[in-house]
């Protein structure tokens, strides 16, 4: 009988330094998660943490991790060839069937680009999956930019706006992602579109409000967020908001539900 909370070791194939604080770990695995699902990553006698899948392919999977605590700091001491313990996948991913054939708008900020990265790669690799992609991607400053090769490739495939919160940088817009949502040609899409918003809770909150100002219905908006997901199987209650267990019913939520969950 498979134990849903038993971590298993996986060899680290590569470690990519994205920024001073974020590394992408590629592990060897045959698992094929849904786009947007998460795993629990752990080190024996250290602890574990929930991390969304940032990319995957045949025989490998990637996690982009920010060094923010005991477990993640220790992860950064690992090298290719070492073992990383993993359990999952958990939660609900992006609603692929509902996105198929629509105009897709993605608004992502900071490390929030990670949970939607594999979906964007799918859109780039499969031109018939969606009708079009409008991507708004924002970072705090130049030192925080993740996935530079992907950003260049996405800019060739999608209508892309890349912005830094307050820093002026060649090739980049300036301002919060919320200031650029109105540039998306929603009128052209008619009723055939979907919006994905991923980032810090405060960013998703104000992006949701901006979408509402533009007349975008709640049911067309999807968000993803992680909230203290410790057990990942709905037993510990750390991620619970009222009667909603984020680890089970999320991390992807339709905005009809998410607007009452965001802090």
């Amino acid at each position: 009988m498979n134990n849903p909370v038993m971590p298993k070791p996986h060899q680290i194939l590569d470690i990519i330094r994205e920024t001073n604080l974020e590394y992408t770990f590629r592990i060897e695995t045959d698992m094929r998660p849904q786009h947007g699902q998460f795993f629990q990553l752990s080190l024996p006698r250290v602890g574990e943490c929930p991390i969304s899948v940032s990319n995957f392919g045949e025989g490998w999977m990637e996690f982009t991790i920010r060094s923010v605590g005991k477990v993640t700091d220790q992860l950064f001491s690992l090298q290719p060839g070492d073992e990383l313990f993993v359990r999952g996948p958990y939660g609900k991913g992006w609603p692929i069937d509902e996105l198929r054939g629509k105009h897709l708008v993605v608004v992502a900020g900071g490390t929030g680009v990670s949970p939607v990265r594999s979906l964007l790669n799918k859109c780039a690799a499969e031109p018939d999956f969606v009708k079009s992609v409008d991507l708004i991607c924002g970072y705090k400053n130049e030192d925080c930019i993740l996935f530079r090769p992907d950003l260049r490739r996405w800019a060739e495939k999608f209508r892309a706006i890349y912005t830094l919160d307050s820093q002026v940088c060649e090739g980049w817009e300036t301002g919060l992602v919320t200031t650029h949502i109105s540039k998306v040609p929603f009128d052209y899409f008619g009723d055939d579109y979907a919006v994905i918003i991923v980032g810090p809770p405060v960013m998703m909150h104000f992006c949701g409000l901006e979408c509402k100002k533009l007349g975008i219905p709640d049911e067309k908006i999807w968000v993803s967020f992680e909230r203290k997901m410790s057990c990942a199987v709905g037993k510990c209650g750390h991620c619970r908001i009222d009667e909603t267990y984020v680890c089970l019913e999320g991390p992807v939520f339709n905005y009809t539900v998410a607007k009452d969950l965001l802090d």
Side-chain angles (χ1 to χ4, degrees):
M1 182 177 179
N2 183 46
N3 186 340
V5 295
M6 177 65 72
K8 297 180 180 179
H10 294 265
Q11 185 180 44
I12 298 174
L13 299 176
D14 194 15
I15 300 175
I16 302 164
R17 181 173 178 173
E18 305 282 356
T19 72
N20 289 334
L21 292 178
E22 287 105 353
Y23 288 9
T24 294
F25 291 74
R26 175 175 288 200
I27 65 169
E28 184 177 19
T29 181
D30 292 326
M31 291 187 287
R32 301 285 292 184
Q34 299 173 22
H35 301 282
Q37 284 189 301
F38 73 97
F39 284 74
Q40 288 283 357
L41 276 53
S42 62
L43 292 173
R45 298 182 298 276
V46 177
E48 66 179 3
C49 56
I51 303 291
S52 294
V53 177
S54 65
N55 206 9
F56 60 90
E58 290 295 330
W60 58 270
M61 187 160 50
E62 290 184 347
F63 302 93
T64 300
I65 302 170
R66 182 179 177 86
S67 180
V68 293
K70 181 178 68 173
V71 179
T72 52
D73 288 350
Q74 196 67 31
L75 286 173
F76 277 34
S77 68
L78 299 178
Q79 300 294 326
D82 290 341
E83 288 185 335
L84 179 60
F85 284 75
V86 175
R87 62 180 176 95
Y90 299 114
K92 297 179 181 178
W94 301 111
I96 296 298
D97 290 339
E98 296 188 41
L99 301 179
R100 191 183 306 275
K102 289 185 170 60
H103 296 281
L104 181 61
V105 179
V106 177
V107 185
T111 55
V113 182
S114 181
V116 79
R117 180 188 178 208
S118 67
L119 178 60
L120 288 170
N121 284 336
K122 176 181 176 67
C123 294
E126 303 175 23
D128 295 332
F129 172 59
V130 293
K131 291 181 178 178
S132 67
V133 177
D134 282 80
L135 172 61
I136 302 174
C137 184
Y139 297 98
K140 183 177 181 181
N141 54 51
E142 190 175 8
D143 294 333
C144 298
I145 298 173
L146 300 172
F147 312 129
R148 290 175 183 266
D150 289 322
L151 293 175
R152 290 191 290 269
R153 182 164 49 85
W154 294 338
E156 296 174 356
K157 300 281 187 176
F158 312 143
R159 291 188 293 265
I161 297 174
Y162 299 149
T163 185
L164 302 177
D165 288 356
S166 58
Q167 182 180 4
V168 177
C169 181
E170 184 178 357
W172 287 72
E173 300 284 345
T174 301
L176 301 176
V177 291
T178 50
T179 64
H180 300 286
I181 295 176
S182 61
K183 299 177 182 178
V184 176
F186 288 104
D187 291 342
Y188 171 77
F189 300 155
D191 195 48
D192 198 21
Y193 67 92
V195 179
I196 285 176
I197 303 172
V198 199
V202 65
M203 169 248 168
M204 292 192 291
H205 172 74
F206 283 104
C207 284
L209 294 179
E210 186 64 26
C211 287
K212 294 296 292 178
K213 290 180 184 177
L214 296 173
I216 300 170
D218 292 347
E219 60 268 20
K220 291 187 178 296
I221 304 172
W222 299 85
V223 305
S224 175
F225 64 97
E226 298 172 358
R227 179 188 173 94
K228 302 175 183 177
M229 296 183 291
S230 298
C231 72
V233 293
K235 299 300 182 183
C236 73
H238 286 93
C239 70
R240 181 179 171 183
I241 306 174
D242 295 327
E243 300 303 316
T244 299
Y245 288 82
V246 174
C247 68
L248 297 179
E249 301 175 50
V252 172
F253 290 93
N254 187 262
Y255 195 67
T256 55
V257 176
K259 64 183 179 182
D260 296 323
L261 301 178
L262 292 170
D263 295 329

